[in-house]
Amino acid sequence: VFSLDAALLPNVDLFTPVETAALPHFIIPGQSQAADSKSLVIAPYVVSRMAFSESFQAFLGGRYDRIDYDDPLTSTDRKYNKLSPMVGLVLAPTEELSFYANVGQAFAPPSSQVAGPREAEESQQFEIGTKKYLMDNRLQASLALYHLQKDNIGIPDATGVTKQDGDQKSRGIELELMVRPRPDWHTFFSYALSDAELTRFTEFVAVPTATGVNFLFLDRSGNTPAFSPRHILNVWTAKGFRNGIELGVGGRYVSEQFIAEDNQFQMDGVLTFDASVSYTYKQWKFRMNAKNLTDRKYETRGFGATSVIPAEPFGMYCAFELNLQ
């Protein structure tokens, strides 16, 4: 259950900000969102593996979704029935090298934040890749190329209202390396290159003019979806010691991201560093993680087409684990 209203607020000076907004607010007609929804999802999934030889096998599966979506507040009552098939092939010429390909479909209930008719989100994905083991399995490498198409996705427009007026496609490459020089030392590296594009999205915007404000529908097809960085890089290495202590350190880089589908403003790329220390004693493990070691100031997702939120500064997090096995 939620309600989200859009209201007109007084201006605030950027250099000497003073909050002057007071109740009651003037609610903008037609821009409010509310929902009192529930979804019941029943989704059995079956996969069958067929081995034609020691080096060639196939996978055939499917997921059947029965979704009951009900929102009395918006008089939305939908029942979805969908079979999402999946087919995969694996070719392994040797024990250390394999190639694979798969294609499948997916199906998801609509978001309660969507205004207007709510359809189920559908997607189709095709992926090919390879995996290689080297140095007596101390080095594992995988490379994948994918194409993903999503239909009926919910996108907030310039007013902040989310509607299912968009389709998008993503193509990319993912590379992963896992190196274990010694049993107590491992290093993980991953890189993702993504090319995302809106294939259908028309936005309702207000354009100021000399005589007032004009409301227009602008076609954003061909633009980059919001918060879809082109490059993501992760590196992490951890070393364990005989006394039960393990030390880890790593970094993460995320390239520039647009904050809205109009592609007018973007957040800068950011490189952050993390570290961890853990101590294991018998069945107990104590872990301490340090996030954003350099206290880097950067932004993350905001609300609407003109806002971002400051990301978390340097922080320490602790956890206890008990292994009963």
Side-chain angles (χ1 to χ4, degrees), residues 235-273:
V235 179
W236 183 263
T237 184
K239 177 69 169 62
F241 300 91
R242 294 182 179 180
N243 57 5
I245 294 178
E246 182 182 85
L247 302 177
V249 65
R252 176 179 174 84
Y253 172 74
V254 179
S255 65
E256 298 83 0
Q257 305 174 63
F258 290 110
I259 68 172
E261 276 65 24
D262 59 11
N263 290 182
Q264 295 299 309
F265 304 98
Q266 69 177 8
M267 302 184 301
D268 293 333
V270 60
L271 174 63
T272 57
F273 297 94

Side-chain angles (χ1 to χ4, degrees), residues 208-219:
T209 65
T211 58
V213 178
N214 290 338
F215 293 92
L216 303 174
F217 285 96
L218 298 182
D219 186 6

Side-chain angles (χ1 to χ4, degrees), residues 294-316:
T294 59
D295 198 23
R296 179 70 181 271
K297 293 180 173 59
Y298 63 102
E299 296 79 32
T300 183
R301 286 177 177 267
F303 177 79
T306 57
S307 67
V308 291
I309 299 174
E312 295 288 341
F314 169 77
M316 298 290 294

Side-chain angles (χ1 to χ4, degrees), residues 141-196:
S142 65
L143 178 66
L145 290 80
Y146 70 89
H147 178 94
L148 175 64
Q149 175 73 39
K150 290 186 175 181
D151 302 321
N152 296 328
I153 58 176
I155 302 178
D157 61 15
T159 65
V161 177
T162 300
K163 295 183 179 180
Q164 285 184 299
D165 289 337
D167 302 334
Q168 73 177 54
K169 65 179 180 180
S170 302
R171 294 166 292 185
I173 301 174
E174 295 180 350
L175 171 66
E176 292 186 358
L177 296 174
M178 175 71 78
V179 184
R180 190 178 291 271
R182 298 175 51 180
D184 56 358
W185 181 17
H186 64 272
T187 299
F188 176 78
F189 169 88
S190 69
Y191 169 71
L193 170 64
S194 176
D195 179 20

Side-chain angles (χ1 to χ4, degrees), residues 1 4 34 71 105 125 128-129 132 136 145 148 167 189 194 304:
V1 178
L4 180 63
D71 185 357
Q105 297 179 343
Q125 177 169 318
I128 59 173
K132 177 67 175 177
D136 295 329
L145 290 80
L148 175 64
D167 302 334
F189 169 88
S194 176

Side-chain angles (χ1 to χ4, degrees), residues 273-288:
F273 297 94
D274 303 329
S276 72
V277 57
S278 67
Y279 175 69
T280 302
Y281 179 74
K282 295 183 179 180
Q283 295 176 305
W284 291 91
K285 174 180 280 191
F286 170 75
R287 180 181 297 275
M288 180 178 294

